[in-house]
Amino acid sequence: MGEPGAPGSRRKAAQRFMLIRSSGGLKRPLLLAAVACLLLAGMARPAHSQATARIVAGGLQTESFPAIEFSLEAYDSQGNFIKGLTPSDLQLTEDGKPVSSLSLELEEPGLQFSVAINPGAQLGTSIGGKPQLELVRSALIDWVRRQPAESGSDFSLSTNTGLQLIRSREPQQWSTAIAEFNPTLVTGELNLFSLSTAIDLASDQAAGSRMKRAILWVTPPVPAGLAPSLQDLASRAQQAGVKVFLWVAVTDLNASQPDTSAMQALADATGGRFTLIAGQETIPDLESWLQPLRYIYQVKYLSKAQKSGEHRVEVGLKGEDAVAPAQALVYSLEIKPPNPIFLSPPSKLDRTWEVVEGSDEQALAPAAQVLQIMVEFPDGHNRPLTATRLYVDGALQAENTAPPYEQFSWDLTGLTESGTHTLRVEAVDSLGISGTSIETPVDVVVELRPVESLLERISRRGLIAVAAVLVAGAVLAMVLIGENRLRSRRKRNERRRMEDPVTQPVPIPQDGAKAVRSRRAAGEPGSWPRAAAAQQTIPARLIRVTEDEHPVPGSLVPLNRSEITFGSDARQAVIQVEDPSVEKLHARLLRSDDGEFILMDEGSVAGTWVNFTQVGPEGARLKHDDLIHLGRVTFRFELTNPPPLPQPSVQTLDENP
C-alpha cells in the first residue's frame, strides 16, 4: 500500500487537484485552500493507536524441547519496527495456560535483498538531463555504499536475461554489478521474468535461516493483461514470506497514469510498499523501507506439554505503547517417558564374614553395592531430570533428588540370608513424566557365620571368671592330692598291721562272694555343627571355545537367569562379547517354564547359528553339547545335569546248525 506522504499519495492528491481545477466556479483562494487540505491529508499519518499495532510470529522450533523457540516481529501503526520490548510486554499461552518464564532477545540476522529490473522504455526517459535508469542506478549505489562490509546481508541482481549476481555477501561486488548493468531498453511489451526469477531465488532459503527476504522491483507500469500473472506471483511471494517493494517509473506524475492497481495489490499482499518515480526527487530513501526488516525478536520458553499430539501457542502484545491481537502457532510433538537402564548390573552378590577394621568383631561385607544407570529419551528430546528412585523387591530403597542422578548406593546390611532380589529404577524428568526400567534379578549369597572357638566366644569378663575357676580348681586339686597322700599313708600302715600274725583276724567263711557289678556309660563325643555354605544350582552354562573346539580358560558363562542378552554393547547386553562380527544386541537366550533354553537372533548381520544351522525367527531349542556361533565367536552349551547317554543293547544271535 502506498505510504502516507509518499510520492504515490502526492500523485493522488495532485490528481484530485486536477479534477477540482477542471470543475470550474472556484476562485483562486479557494483552490489554493483545497489543494493545501488535500496535500496535508495525503501527507498526514494517523495518530498512534495501540489497536493498530501488528505482530508477526513464525519459525517455531521444537528441536530442543522442552525449550520452544520462535521468531517475533512487532510493528507500530506507522509500520515501524518496535524496539525495546521486554518479556512483560508479551502475553504468551500454551494450550490455554499462561507461560510465566520466557526470554526475549532482539537480533539483527541480516537481510536477503534482491533488485529486479524490468528494462522498459520509460526507464530511458530523460528527466533533469539524465535517464530514469541512471537515476535509479545512482540511488542504489549510494545506498549500498552506506552498508557495512560485515552486515550479514546478501545481495542479488535479477534482470530480464536472468540472475546477474546471486547472494553476494560483499556490498561492493553488488555495487559493481549494478554499475555494469547496461541493458537494451525494451520498447515493446514488458514481461515479468526478472520478478519471477527473483521470487524463485528468495523462496529457496536455507532451513533454519532467520534472515528476512525482500525484493525491489524497478519497472515501468505493466500492461493490464499481466494482472493475473502478477496475482500468481504475489501468492508465491506471500507463501514464501518475501516482501516485494515496487518503484514504478513514469514520465510525469501529473500526467494521466495507466492502471497500476495490480502492482499495488502485489505490494499489499506481500507486506511491501509501492511508489511512482519520475525523477531523482521522487525516488524514496531505500533504507527507510528496509529498516523494519533488519530486526527480529527471538522468543524462548520452557514448554509444560506432557502428552503427544498437537499443541497451540498464542502470543499477543500488551505493552504500554502498543497492543496487538494474539497470533497462534501450532506444533505437533511426540512425547515419551524417560527410559532408565541399569549399566552392567551384578547378577550375583556374595556377602562374606570379615573382621571389622579396628575391632575383633566380624560383620558381613560388602555393606553396600554401587549401581550405575543411564537415562534415555526415546522421543529424542533430552530433558533435565528431577529425581531418580531405586526399588528393591518393589519397595523404595534410595532416591536422588539432586545430581548425580545416575548413581545409587544399595544398602545391603539388611540382607542376612541368601535369596534372589529384584531391582527396578524410576526416572522423573522436568515435565513430571516418569518412566521405569524392567526388573533385574540379583542373587545374593550370604555366607553362614563361621563357628567360633571357645576362647573366641568368651568375653573379657568371661575370661576373668574362667581364670578364677581355674585357680579354684588348682587349689582344689592340691587339696585332693594332699588328702590322697594321707590316705595312701594310712593304707600302708594298715597293710603292715594286717601282715603281723599276732594281729591277723580269724577268717570266717562266707556263704558266697558278692558279685561285682560293672557299668559302662557309652556316649558319642560332642562336636560343633558346621553347615555347608549355600550353593546355587546353575542349570546350564556356556563355554567359549576356539575354532578347534578347545575351551578358552576363564570363559564360563553361568546361565542362571530366565533371559540373557548377548552383544558388543554393555548397555544393551547382559553378556558382552567383544568381536567385530557381533552386533550391539546380537542374540537373546530364554529359559522356558519347562526348563528348556531357546536361543533367538536379534536381527544381526552375521547371524546366530546352532550346530552350523542358522537360527530362524522362531528360535532354536538347545541341547547338551550344542555349538553356538554368534558371528565368528563360538560357545558350547552344556547342561549341569545332562540326560544319560543311551546304553548300547546286546542281542544274542542264535547260531544255526
Side-chain angles (χ1 to χ4, degrees):
M1 179 179 294
E3 292 296 322
S9 298
R10 293 197 296 270
R11 176 182 61 82
K12 293 179 181 179
Q15 290 176 347
R16 287 194 291 268
F17 167 69
M18 295 297 293
L19 290 174
I20 294 174
R21 187 175 62 177
S22 63
S23 62
L26 291 178
K27 297 182 179 180
R28 184 176 184 83
L30 293 177
L31 288 175
L32 293 176
V35 171
C37 291
L38 290 174
L39 291 175
L40 289 174
M43 298 177 62
R45 295 178 182 268
H48 177 70
S49 172
Q50 290 183 338
T52 58
R54 179 174 61 93
I55 61 173
V56 179
L60 189 142
Q61 300 178 9
T62 60
E63 289 78 5
S64 302
F65 181 84
I68 301 292
E69 183 175 353
F70 63 89
S71 61
L72 180 70
E73 304 171 41
Y75 301 96
D76 61 18
S77 59
Q78 299 176 355
N80 298 318
F81 190 89
I82 303 176
K83 299 180 183 179
L85 291 181
T86 63
S88 61
D89 295 325
L90 299 183
Q91 186 172 7
L92 184 65
T93 63
E94 182 183 58
D95 296 332
K97 299 179 180 179
V99 175
S100 58
S101 177
L102 61 91
S103 64
L104 188 65
E105 183 177 352
L106 181 64
E107 296 182 356
E108 294 186 56
L111 180 66
Q112 288 186 358
F113 181 62
S114 297
V115 169
I117 300 178
N118 190 12
Q122 286 87 339
L123 290 178
T125 303
S126 178
I127 299 179
K130 291 185 178 180
Q132 286 263 56
L133 179 60
E134 186 63 30
L135 298 176
V136 170
R137 190 199 316 271
S138 298
L140 293 176
I141 292 176
D142 289 342
W143 168 79
V144 77
R145 285 176 178 173
R146 297 194 300 269
Q147 303 305 307
E150 301 296 333
S151 64
S153 300
D154 60 47
F155 307 89
S156 303
L157 176 61
S158 175
T159 69
N160 60 337
T161 59
L163 292 169
Q164 306 301 314
L165 188 66
I166 300 176
R167 292 178 179 171
S168 172
R169 289 299 181 100
E170 300 179 8
Q172 182 59 41
Q173 187 179 15
W174 188 78
S175 175
T176 301
I178 293 289
E180 294 177 352
F181 176 60
N182 189 21
T184 300
L185 299 181
V186 178
T187 57
E189 185 175 351
L190 299 173
N191 59 56
L192 308 179
F193 182 76
S194 60
L195 176 61
S196 176
T197 304
I199 292 176
D200 290 340
L201 177 63
S203 300
D204 185 19
Q205 187 182 37
S209 175
R210 299 173 181 170
M211 299 174 67
K212 298 180 186 179
R213 290 158 291 172
I215 297 173
L216 173 62
W217 188 29
V218 181
T219 178
V222 297
L226 295 180
S229 299
L230 277 178
Q231 187 176 1
D232 292 340
L233 291 176
S235 177
R236 286 170 48 194
Q238 185 180 23
Q239 292 178 1
V242 180
K243 298 182 184 298
V244 180
F245 301 92
L246 288 90
W247 286 358
V248 179
V250 296
T251 304
D252 187 357
L253 293 180
N254 296 322
S256 177
Q257 305 298 338
D259 183 15
T260 58
S261 59
M263 306 176 76
Q264 178 74 62
L266 169 64
D268 294 342
T270 61
R273 300 170 78 170
F274 172 94
T275 189
L276 298 177
I277 60 173
Q280 185 172 4
E281 71 280 359
T282 63
I283 297 177
D285 179 20
L286 180 59
E287 183 61 28
S288 66
W289 285 23
L290 299 180
Q291 186 68 18
L293 305 181
R294 297 192 180 278
Y295 301 98
I296 192 170
Y297 287 104
Q298 283 302 121
V299 183
K300 297 180 182 179
Y301 74 95
L302 291 179
S303 172
K304 297 296 183 182
Q306 296 181 333
K307 296 181 180 180
S308 299
E310 189 174 90
H311 301 275
R312 182 181 180 90
V313 178
E314 292 189 356
V315 57
L317 191 62
K318 61 173 184 176
E320 296 181 358
D321 297 331
V323 174
Q327 279 201 348
L329 299 172
V330 177
Y331 69 92
S332 294
L333 201 65
E334 183 181 22
I335 303 175
K336 293 184 178 180
N339 180 32
I341 303 172
F342 283 106
L343 294 179
S344 302
S347 59
K348 180 183 177 183
L349 287 176
D350 293 312
R351 300 200 72 204
T352 58
W353 289 95
E354 297 180 2
V355 177
V356 179
E357 185 177 357
S359 172
D360 295 334
E361 299 293 330
Q362 288 188 337
L364 286 170
Q369 173 67 33
V370 175
L371 299 174
Q372 296 285 346
I373 68 168
M374 65 173 294
V375 180
E376 296 179 337
F377 289 89
D379 55 20
H381 303 295
N382 294 340
R383 304 183 284 277
L385 297 176
T386 58
T388 53
R389 303 182 182 99
L390 174 67
Y391 294 87
V392 179
D393 298 330
L396 180 62
Q397 206 277 336
E399 181 178 19
N400 295 324
T401 56
Y405 293 104
E406 293 79 12
Q407 180 174 306
F408 291 97
S409 179
W410 178 15
D411 184 9
L412 304 177
T413 55
L415 304 181
T416 58
E417 295 182 357
S418 298
T420 300
H421 301 273
T422 58
L423 304 180
R424 179 172 60 89
V425 67
E426 177 187 16
V428 183
D429 63 21
S430 58
L431 298 177
I433 306 175
S434 63
T436 62
S437 67
I438 61 173
E439 290 190 341
T440 301
V442 178
D443 295 328
V444 179
V445 178
V446 181
E447 180 187 22
L448 293 177
R449 185 160 189 158
V451 178
E452 299 174 344
S453 64
L454 181 59
L455 290 178
E456 291 174 337
R457 291 191 175 189
I458 299 176
S459 63
R460 185 173 300 175
R461 291 184 179 181
L463 289 175
I464 295 175
V466 170
V469 171
L470 292 177
V471 171
V475 173
L476 179 60
M478 293 177 64
V479 171
L480 293 176
I481 291 172
E483 185 178 355
N484 287 336
R485 287 180 179 178
L486 292 175
R487 188 176 299 166
S488 299
R489 189 176 301 170
R490 292 194 191 100
K491 287 183 179 181
R492 285 196 298 270
N493 292 335
E494 183 67 21
R495 282 197 297 270
R496 290 173 185 167
R497 187 179 62 80
M498 293 293 292
E499 291 174 356
D500 188 354
V502 178
T503 60
Q504 290 294 322
V506 177
I508 301 175
Q510 302 290 332
D511 293 338
K514 295 182 179 180
V516 180
R517 299 176 183 177
S518 63
R519 180 176 60 183
R520 183 182 64 183
E524 296 181 358
S527 62
W528 293 101
R530 181 187 300 268
Q535 296 182 353
Q536 181 186 17
T537 301
I538 300 175
R541 58 182 175 265
L542 291 179
I543 300 177
R544 186 167 178 175
V545 297
T546 63
E547 294 182 356
D548 300 330
E549 300 186 13
H550 294 302
V552 177
S555 64
L556 185 143
V557 179
L559 305 180
N560 55 355
R561 292 187 176 192
S562 59
E563 180 177 341
I564 299 179
T565 53
F566 299 84
S568 59
D569 189 353
R571 295 177 296 179
Q572 303 184 47
V574 175
I575 303 301
Q576 185 178 6
V577 182
E578 295 183 354
D579 191 272
S581 64
V582 178
E583 304 286 342
K584 293 182 178 181
L585 179 60
H586 195 103
R588 189 182 304 271
L589 185 60
L590 306 175
R591 187 181 181 189
S592 63
D593 295 337
D594 55 3
E596 290 194 356
F597 289 85
I598 303 173
L599 185 62
M600 309 289 293
D601 183 70
E602 292 295 321
S604 63
V605 176
T608 304
W609 306 72
V610 176
N611 296 332
F612 304 100
T613 300
Q614 189 169 9
V615 175
E618 69 281 357
R621 294 182 179 269
L622 300 181
K623 297 180 180 180
H624 184 66
D625 274 346
D626 279 350
L627 284 180
I628 298 173
H629 285 83
L630 305 180
R632 295 179 297 186
V633 180
T634 309
F635 291 92
R636 179 186 290 119
F637 175 78
E638 295 183 355
L639 293 171
T640 303
N641 297 313
L645 296 175
Q647 298 295 327
S649 60
V650 179
Q651 184 178 1
T652 304
L653 299 177
D654 295 334
E655 295 181 0
N656 294 325

